[in-house]
Amino acid sequence: MSSLAACGGTEAGTSRIERRFAALKAEGRGGLVTFVTAGDPDAETSYEILRGLPAAGADVIELGMPFSDPMADGPAIQASSLRALKAGFSLSKTLDLVSRFRQDDNDTPVILMGYYNPIYSMGVEAFLARAREAGVDGLIIVDLPPEEDEELCGPALDAGLHWVRLATPTTDDARLPAVLARASGFVYYVSVMGITGTKSAETGDIEAAVQRLKRHTDLPVAVGFGIKTPEQAGSVAGVADAAVVGSALVRRVEANLDADGRAKAGLAQDVLSLVGDLADGVRA
């Protein structure tokens, strides 16, 4: 069995990500992928949110690696990253958070999302070893194009981690083969151009984009950027394999901070309540 086939699980030949999307297909529905930033707004609240996501209805978790210059992200996620850094969070602590999560949950896929700089600073080999040990299933690294695959993509696949590739409305049919060549786990379709959490795409446009991607790959397609409501999540999950929600969740974190930026009582429960509403929309 290849190292990637062995990634993240006990069932021969499959990974947590593969098993989850197979289960969603068997249920006849799209999934809910939730993004939160590790360490936002503090270590314990972040863990409380992370621990509660599966029960609230998250099918797959994207965990943001805090970074000082998240250039592809909008104001909400940028602010969440800065809050985490201010609270003393780091890439090392992010991996510790995943390890803690795995003590109680060995089924829910966890993908780390972020930028290459913190990984480069830790050292690729050390990072990949720790990520596998912690129970990370895959990576989404937004600033490494296919031309830079030998930096991290190749070593990550060799280490047994999925490499989730981003596609956008400007990724044309000539570019798609390069984008998809080493993609694994699923493809993340960024439905609108620009930064996260700003505009939303029309369902018809998303459906056409998903169908185009499906002509090029057998991987599941998850769609994100601009999904804020249960109704939007349900519409997207109806035409794609999953809907990805991030900015709406980190905005809910921000809405539950006091004047000093500390978590108010009930912050995690409020975030998880929103996840529950989004999950209901996806399952409707």
Side-chain angles (χ1 to χ4, degrees):
M1 187 191 307
S2 71
S3 58
L4 183 55
C7 173
T10 56
E11 184 178 330
T14 61
S15 68
R16 290 187 190 95
I17 295 175
E18 291 164 330
R19 292 198 298 275
R20 182 53 50 93
F21 277 104
L24 291 170
K25 185 175 182 180
E27 290 179 38
R29 69 172 180 89
L32 174 63
V33 181
T34 56
F35 171 94
V36 291
T37 299
D40 177 34
D42 59 70
E44 281 308 308
T45 306
S46 179
Y47 171 66
E48 190 177 354
I49 294 169
L50 183 64
R51 181 184 62 184
L53 285 173
D59 296 297
V60 178
I61 296 169
E62 287 180 12
L63 190 59
M65 298 177 283
F67 181 50
S68 59
D69 188 25
M71 58 189 178
D73 293 301
I77 293 179
Q78 286 186 20
S80 74
S81 199
L82 294 176
R83 287 194 298 269
L85 292 172
K86 185 177 178 180
F89 233 68
S90 63
L91 180 55
S92 181
K93 289 184 178 180
T94 299
L95 295 170
D96 291 341
L97 184 65
V98 177
S99 294
R100 189 177 176 191
F101 173 79
R102 284 284 175 237
Q103 292 174 12
D104 299 313
D105 188 313
N106 196 41
D107 297 319
T108 306
V110 175
I111 296 101
L112 295 185
M113 185 170 187
Y115 300 81
Y116 183 46
N117 185 277
I119 296 170
Y120 178 80
S121 296
M122 178 179 282
V124 167
E125 187 175 344
F127 166 76
L128 292 174
R130 285 197 58 188
R132 278 303 305 270
E133 183 180 3
V136 172
D137 298 291
L139 303 173
I140 302 174
I141 308 301
V142 301
D143 55 347
L144 283 181
E147 289 75 19
E148 304 294 335
D149 272 358
E150 294 316 309
E151 288 286 335
L152 185 59
C153 173
L157 292 171
D158 290 343
L161 295 175
H162 285 287
W163 188 262
V164 179
R165 191 78 83 183
L166 297 167
T168 75
T170 60
T171 309
D172 60 22
D173 287 346
R175 178 65 172 168
L176 268 178
V179 169
L180 298 173
R182 302 178 83 175
S184 68
F186 63 94
V187 176
Y188 186 153
Y189 177 66
V190 176
S191 60
V192 294
M193 295 305 297
I195 56 177
T196 57
T198 52
K199 298 174 289 183
S200 301
E202 296 295 328
T203 303
D205 294 336
I206 293 172
E207 184 174 17
V210 170
Q211 290 174 351
R212 184 172 72 91
L213 286 169
K214 294 282 191 178
R215 291 195 290 271
H216 291 266
T217 181
D218 293 328
L219 292 172
V221 178
V223 176
F225 277 49
I227 301 172
K228 303 178 181 69
T229 68
E231 293 74 20
Q232 288 175 319
S235 295
V236 170
V239 299
D241 296 292
V244 185
V245 182
S247 293
L249 298 180
V250 299
R251 285 196 185 99
R252 185 62 63 94
V253 172
E254 185 175 20
N256 281 275
L257 300 176
D258 65 19
D260 296 318
R262 292 190 294 261
K264 295 179 182 177
L267 184 155
Q269 291 81 357
D270 195 35
V271 173
L272 295 172
S273 175
L274 176 55
V275 173
D277 292 341
L278 293 163
D280 288 343
V282 165
R283 290 163 171 79

